[in-house]
Amino acid sequence: MTTLAETAPGILQVTDRKSARAFVDTHIVPYADAYDRQGRVPEELLERMTAAGLWAPFLPRDTGGGGMDLVTLGEVHEEVGRGCSSVRSLLTVHTMVSWAVQRWGSPAQREQWVPALGRGDVLAAFCLSEPGAGSDASGIATNVVEKNGGWVLNGVKKWITNGQRADLFLVFARTATSIGAFLVPRDSPGVEVTPIEDMLGTRASMIAEISFRDVALGPDALLGPSGFTAGMVLTGTLDLGRYSVATGSVGIIQAALEACAAYASRRTVGGSLLKDLPLIQAKLSDMVTDARAARLLVAEAGRLKDAGEASTIMATWVAKYFASTAAARHASEAVQIHGANGCGHDYPVARLYRDAKVMEIIEGSNEIQRITIASQAEREII
Amino acid sequence: MSANTKEQILDFVRARYPQAEIDETQDIFALGFVNSLFAMELVMFIEKTFEVTIPNDELKIDNFRSANTMAELVDRLSPARV
Ligand SMILES: Cc1cc2nc3c(=O)[nH]c(=O)nc-3n(C[C@H](O)[C@H](O)[C@H](O)COP(=O)(O)OP(=O)(O)OC[C@H]3O[C@@H](n4cnc5c(N)ncnc54)[C@H](O)[C@@H]3O)c2cc1C
């Protein structure tokens, strides 16, 4: 058997922000605009990410994982998000499914999937949204019925990040009594994957529509409890996804800041460098401030996760709401600072602008975030 | 069953829903409080506070109906506390 070191010589393990930054600067930043234009992340990068141990380093050591704490994981995802939101999106959904199997899986499910997910031998996608249901998860129409001791799955999932490439789908479907989570290998008969091309943002995240027609699953396909707690699989998994998107949004702000600082130091208008103009300085200072504030909110949510504190769920909503709206605002200002150059292909800011918009929609849209944060405030204060 | 366990659970629920009057026997589902977010928070709170891991087969609605049933669950999962 060949080792990772042999297949990808020279690639160092990512264990913290510093090593993530080095990996991203070498293997992602120079190519992110090309991925965006090609509409996919090449297999070669996926292999490098495997070699660097990037897919699910938080999994426990006894499953072959790196036992990384979630604060550090957040820093790693921020760095990846700084380089390319599409790549970070692949990591996000893989993280969600890996965590869910580790947290809720039976010993047999864990043994079957967790080591392979940890290594990145199996890549996973998270399938909740449908043509007719997004924010309102209770509106999903995909269903399973029990048959011959197993399950039969029918329905259509849409906007599935990495659906084009993933080997394993975590599919949420209506059962006789509630909503359950089901592990569905891509090669199951009756699974059909249709690529969705030409998205506004995260264009390289290999999004797909996936239909399930009479897909026969064994009894061990159901992940976690059924009944009232089935909703917790969804809540917990989305919480981690939201955390990853929040970190990625911080990465977008940082990338916008770095691009603008470089551009403003070179570009002159009317004999002045952009960086010396007060209105431009104001924009840059807002970017610096929001990057720091968002990073702190994310770190706090991560710290609460590591401590197992229930308040992490709300802290993560707040972090994602703040970071994603700040990312959209600053990516827009980054295009503005670059003028026409910001609208072309020679600078990364147009990509940041398109990607940032997506952050306000996924893992709980801004409207849903506000509703949830307000209801918490109501519970606590009123 | 430890009175202290029940009190800690009640404190957690009351802190989340200060406007509600809840006692240890009351069915919090019947009061309409529990959504999946709060259910997740409850599970995390119990696991962290009482240093237990709730296995999937104990994640049943009846175990979470009241402070009493949750305290019983904690006792079952940590026999040393009984
Ligand atoms: C790039 C990308 C990648 C994605 N990847 C995945 C994936 O991997 N897996 C997956 O399952 N899904 C994925 N999604 C789907 C995403 O989760 C949904 O788009 C999101 O949940 C919103 O749902 P929706 O698009 O159906 O909008 P809708 O739910 O139809 O909402 C439409 C608008 O109404 C607003 N709205 C909804 N409810 C309320 C309310 N009560 N009050 C006020 N306003 C409201 C929303 O905020 C939104 O602005 C992806 C989407 C995108 C764009």
Side-chain angles (χ1 to χ4, degrees), chain A residues 58-124:
Chain A
F58 60 90
L59 288 170
R61 286 185 193 283
D62 60 9
T63 65
M68 182 182 279
D69 62 85
L70 292 181
V71 170
T72 307
L73 184 79
E75 291 171 350
V76 169
H77 282 204
E78 181 198 321
E79 289 300 329
V80 176
R82 178 180 59 81
C84 175
S85 290
S86 291
V87 179
R88 200 269 312 133
S89 296
L90 306 187
L91 275 188
T92 299
V93 293
H94 186 81
T95 297
M96 293 164 79
V97 178
S98 304
W99 178 85
V101 179
Q102 169 62 26
R103 173 68 177 83
W104 302 105
S106 65
Q109 286 169 326
R110 286 207 293 265
E111 195 181 322
Q112 182 179 4
W113 296 113
V114 169
L117 288 164
R119 286 191 302 271
D121 292 347
V122 166
L123 296 187

Side-chain angles (χ1 to χ4, degrees), chain A residues 44-352:
Chain A
E44 188 188 8
L45 178 64
L46 303 182
E47 284 166 17
R48 288 179 180 177
M49 290 164 69
T50 299
L54 256 173
W55 287 107
F58 60 90
L59 288 170
R61 286 185 193 283
D62 60 9
T63 65
M68 182 182 279
D69 62 85
L70 292 181
V71 170
T72 307
L73 184 79
E75 291 171 350
V76 169
H77 282 204
E78 181 198 321
E79 289 300 329
V80 176
R82 178 180 59 81
C84 175
S85 290
S86 291
V87 179
R88 200 269 312 133
S89 296
L90 306 187
L91 275 188
T92 299
V93 293
H94 186 81
T95 297
M96 293 164 79
V97 178
S98 304
W99 178 85
V101 179
Q102 169 62 26
R103 173 68 177 83
W104 302 105
S106 65
Q109 286 169 326
R110 286 207 293 265
E111 195 181 322
Q112 182 179 4
W113 296 113
V114 169
L117 288 164
R119 286 191 302 271
D121 292 347
V122 166
L123 296 187
F126 173 83
C127 307
L128 175 64
S129 304
E130 301 186 355
S135 307
D136 177 19
S138 66
I140 62 171
T142 296
N143 67 88
V144 287
V145 288
E146 285 191 79
K147 198 170 172 188
N148 303 331
W151 307 89
V152 177
L153 174 69
N154 276 289
V156 178
K157 295 294 177 181
K158 197 166 182 186
W159 315 117
I160 305 308
T161 296
N162 210 16
Q164 294 180 32
R165 170 63 179 77
D167 311 290
L168 178 66
F169 303 125
L170 182 63
V171 181
F172 289 83
R174 194 166 283 293
T175 64
T177 52
S178 66
I179 288 176
F182 293 83
L183 291 163
V184 184
R186 180 200 191 87
D187 56 11
S188 310
V191 174
E192 193 186 329
V193 175
T194 309
I196 301 177
E197 316 277 4
D198 243 350
M199 296 290 290
L200 168 76
T202 61
R203 290 170 63 86
S205 58
M206 300 186 278
I207 291 176
E209 178 173 294
I210 306 175
S211 54
F212 303 94
R213 273 194 211 98
D214 292 328
V215 177
L217 302 168
D220 55 347
L222 175 66
L223 181 72
S226 54
F228 101 102
T229 42
M232 290 187 338
V233 178
L234 183 56
T235 306
T237 310
L238 282 172
D239 172 63
L240 197 56
R242 204 166 285 133
Y243 178 62
S244 173
V245 172
T247 69
S249 301
V250 180
I252 292 176
I253 307 173
Q254 185 65 34
L257 173 61
E258 290 174 13
C260 290
Y263 190 76
S265 303
R266 288 197 310 269
R267 178 79 176 180
T268 53
V269 286
S272 304
L273 282 167
L274 280 182
K275 76 176 178 61
D276 294 327
L277 303 177
L279 276 174
I280 302 295
Q281 288 171 344
K283 293 178 201 284
L284 291 176
S285 68
D286 286 354
M287 285 182 200
V288 171
T289 308
D290 280 349
R292 288 193 187 191
R295 195 172 284 126
L296 283 173
L297 285 173
V298 166
E300 173 67 354
R303 187 187 66 74
L304 292 168
K305 285 186 201 313
D306 285 329
E309 293 282 354
S311 54
T312 186
I313 297 177
M314 198 44 65
T316 303
W317 278 101
V318 172
K320 195 265 177 176
Y321 175 54
F322 184 86
S324 63
T325 49
R329 203 164 53 242
H330 294 307
S332 170
E333 289 292 20
V335 172
Q336 193 72 17
I337 288 172
H338 283 67
N341 279 328
C343 304
H345 282 313
D346 297 337
Y347 294 86
V349 290
R351 171 172 52 84
L352 299 178

